[in-house]
Amino acid sequence: MQRVNISSGTPWEPTVGYSRAVKVGPYIHISGTTATGPDGKIVGVGDAYAQAVQTLKNIQNALQKAGASLKDVVRTRIYVINIAEWEKIGKAHGEVFRDIRPATSMVQVSGLISPEMLVEIEADAYVAAN
């Protein structure tokens, strides 16, 4: 099977040695994604909901580059700095995945790569052959 690495252009990818997404056959794995805007700055500093919304948009963009869409997502993993904000983050996730209903988990972590980041989301997708 052919492997396709997909970059988002963030400065961390070449430094750490990872891709935003990797597609192998029908499987697409989206790396931990944050609310980084096109200018490289964090969108929604201090606002967990706004960061979750931007993060999910970034995941959607990576999926599109891989030839998939949000409806192909089968699993997400949500990492949060403050689990007390789970409802705000969950609301953003639900707005996108309410009808898709992937398997998911949400866990609190002690920190992300930048102190401005409040949420990071991973996604796995499966694109069935037509």
Side-chain angles (χ1 to χ4, degrees):
M1 283 188 222
Q2 181 183 4
R3 175 189 174 115
V4 178
N5 292 342
I6 298 158
S7 175
S8 66
T10 63
W12 302 287
E13 290 177 27
T15 301
V16 177
Y18 75 98
S19 297
R20 169 63 39 228
V22 176
K23 180 178 182 181
V24 179
Y27 301 98
I28 302 166
H29 302 279
I30 309 291
S31 292
T33 303
T34 60
T36 306
D39 61 359
K41 296 180 180 176
I42 302 302
V43 173
V45 173
D47 184 338
Y49 172 79
Q51 286 196 20
V53 168
Q54 181 63 42
T55 298
L56 291 162
K57 287 178 184 176
N58 292 348
I59 288 171
Q60 182 177 24
N61 289 338
L63 287 165
Q64 288 172 343
K65 288 179 182 179
S69 71
L70 291 167
K71 69 176 176 48
D72 298 311
V73 173
V74 296
R75 178 155 176 73
T76 60
R77 293 168 197 82
I78 307 167
Y79 304 98
V80 303
I81 295 300
N82 181 1
I83 199 69
E85 299 204 86
W86 74 267
E87 288 180 270
K88 295 174 187 175
I89 297 160
K91 178 183 177 196
H93 189 274
E95 288 169 355
V96 171
F97 291 114
R98 181 169 284 113
D99 296 326
I100 300 165
R101 308 281 298 265
T104 195
S105 56
M106 184 186 300
V107 296
Q108 180 172 306
V109 296
S110 63
L112 298 171
I113 202 161
S114 168
E116 295 178 323
M117 295 174 180
L118 304 176
V119 61
E120 181 171 309
I121 303 174
E122 298 176 352
D124 296 320
Y126 179 83
V127 180
N130 291 335

